[in-house]
């Protein structure tokens, strides 16, 4: 490619130079054809105006033509580069041979990225399946309180659908206690409390998500503790009943 550019540029410049030289020779020959009048011509100031001004004009026009040719030539040279299909690097038959190693590396990197994307997608699908199979509700929030992920148990608890993903957590739960706990977690302090809802009792754990001393978000966990709470209350009631004796 470098050789082609160099050769083409030299060709354009050489042709332009030859054209200018030919025109200049023709102009000079016109004025110097009569040898006996040469001395008179050289002593005449009008000679310079009549000869050198046309020469300068011709030279300027030649430069403009050369610039146009070089621009067009550059477009032809760059065209194969613009037409390279990066999605299929090895199928660029019209590309320069010098680009073959680069296109080979691009193809290799593309295969690696495609493979990594497939692995990431598989792990993401596995993670989503695990989340939705959990009995506990789980909501992942980013640092802006926006919902990143929510599983089926959490959607049932908050009575929402997966359309809430990307929305502010306030649209899912407007209770001051819940939102205050989320804000506390985003400030670096975890929270834990219980709420009663729809005849059941649930424990809410809200924890920060931290990486390299930077808080990236929060996770909301919802545990159904209705049975444990019921059993605990039954035991407490039994312990408070005085034991009697039968005769």
């Amino acid at each position: 490619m470098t050789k082609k550019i160099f050769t083409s540029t030299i060709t354009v410049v050489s042709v332009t130079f030859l054209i200018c030289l030919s025109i200049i020779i023709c102009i000079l020959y016109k004025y110097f054809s009569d040898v006996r009048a040469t001395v008179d011509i050289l002593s005449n100031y009008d000679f310079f105006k009549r000869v050198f001004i046309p020469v300068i004009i011709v030279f300027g026009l030649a430069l403009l033509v050369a610039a146009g040719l070089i621009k067009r030539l550059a477009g032809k040279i760059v065209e194969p580069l613009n037409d390279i299909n990066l999605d299929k690097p090895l199928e660029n038959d019209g590309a320069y041979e010098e680009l073959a190693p680069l296109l080979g590396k691009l193809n290799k990197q593309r295969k690696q990225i495609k493979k990594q994307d497939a692995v990431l997608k598989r792990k993401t699908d596995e993670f989503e399946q695990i989340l939705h199979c959990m009995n506990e509700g789980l909501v992942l929030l980013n640092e802006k309180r926006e919902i990143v992920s929510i599983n089926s148990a959490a959607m049932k608890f908050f009575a929402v659908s997966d359309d809430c993903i990307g929305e502010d957590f306030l649209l899912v739960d407007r209770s001051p206690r819940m939102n205050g706990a989320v804000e506390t977690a985003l400030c670096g302090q975890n929270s834990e409390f219980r709420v009663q809802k729809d005849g059941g009792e649930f424990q809410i754990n809200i924890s920060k998500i931290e990486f390299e001393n930077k808080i990236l978000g929060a996770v909301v966990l919802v545990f159904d503790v209705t049975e444990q709470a019921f059993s605990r209350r039954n035991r407490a009631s039994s312990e408070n009943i005085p034991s009697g004796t039968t005769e």
Side-chain angles (χ1 to χ4, degrees):
M1 181 175 65
T2 304
K3 183 179 179 180
K4 183 176 182 180
I5 294 173
F6 178 78
T7 304
S8 302
T9 304
I10 292 298
T11 301
V12 172
V13 173
S14 300
V15 170
T16 304
F17 176 77
L18 290 175
I19 292 174
C20 290
L21 184 61
S22 300
I23 295 174
I24 292 172
I25 291 174
C26 291
I27 294 174
L28 294 177
Y29 177 78
K30 177 182 177 181
Y31 286 95
F32 288 98
S33 58
D34 188 355
V35 178
R36 289 175 297 180
T38 301
V39 176
D40 295 335
I41 292 174
L42 292 175
S43 62
N44 191 353
Y45 176 72
D46 187 56
F47 166 78
F48 293 97
K49 293 192 297 182
R50 297 173 61 184
V51 174
F52 284 99
I53 290 178
V55 169
I56 293 173
I57 293 175
V58 170
F59 187 73
L61 292 175
L63 288 179
L64 291 176
V65 173
L69 292 175
I70 291 175
K71 182 178 179 181
R72 185 175 180 181
L73 179 62
K76 291 291 184 181
I77 294 173
V78 175
E79 185 177 357
L81 299 178
N82 294 332
D83 293 339
I84 290 178
N85 185 0
L86 297 179
D87 293 332
K88 299 178 180 179
L90 297 183
E91 296 183 8
N92 294 283
D93 297 331
Y96 298 114
E97 295 181 359
E98 292 87 346
L99 296 177
L102 175 62
L103 294 177
K105 290 182 179 180
L106 288 176
N107 185 65
K108 184 178 180 180
Q109 290 179 352
R110 183 170 180 81
K111 287 183 178 180
Q112 291 177 346
I113 292 174
K114 188 175 181 180
K115 184 177 180 180
Q116 291 173 354
D117 287 342
V119 173
L120 180 61
K121 185 178 184 304
R122 186 179 71 250
K123 291 186 177 181
T124 301
D125 292 340
E126 292 175 354
F127 177 71
E128 291 292 334
Q129 290 178 0
I130 294 173
L131 286 184
H132 288 284
C133 291
M134 290 175 55
N135 293 326
E136 298 79 12
L138 183 143
V139 183
L140 293 178
L141 308 174
N142 61 18
E143 71 278 6
K144 297 180 181 179
R145 294 171 46 98
E146 295 171 342
I147 299 173
V148 177
S149 180
I150 182 170
N151 69 353
S152 300
M155 286 189 283
K156 181 179 179 181
F157 175 80
F158 292 108
V160 295
S161 66
D162 56 2
D163 293 336
C164 66
I165 295 177
E167 301 292 343
D168 193 290
F169 183 73
L170 186 63
L171 297 178
V172 172
D173 193 301
R174 294 183 176 274
S175 65
R177 188 177 188 183
M178 185 76 73
N179 283 275
V182 169
E183 290 294 338
T184 301
L186 292 176
C187 291
Q189 185 176 352
N190 300 334
S191 300
E192 180 180 321
F193 56 91
R194 290 194 177 191
V195 297
Q196 293 184 352
K197 185 176 181 180
D198 299 329
E201 187 168 337
F202 301 86
Q203 179 172 317
I204 311 296
N205 291 357
I206 303 180
S207 306
K208 63 182 178 181
I209 300 176
E210 186 176 7
F211 180 73
E212 294 184 350
N213 297 323
K214 181 180 179 181
I215 297 178
L216 304 179
V219 55
V220 180
L221 290 172
V222 181
F223 301 92
D224 188 348
V225 294
T226 304
E227 293 183 1
Q228 294 93 317
F230 181 75
S231 299
R232 186 179 66 253
R233 285 193 293 268
N234 282 343
R235 287 197 303 270
S237 298
S238 300
E239 292 174 356
N240 292 332
I241 297 176
S243 58
T245 57
T246 57
E247 295 180 359

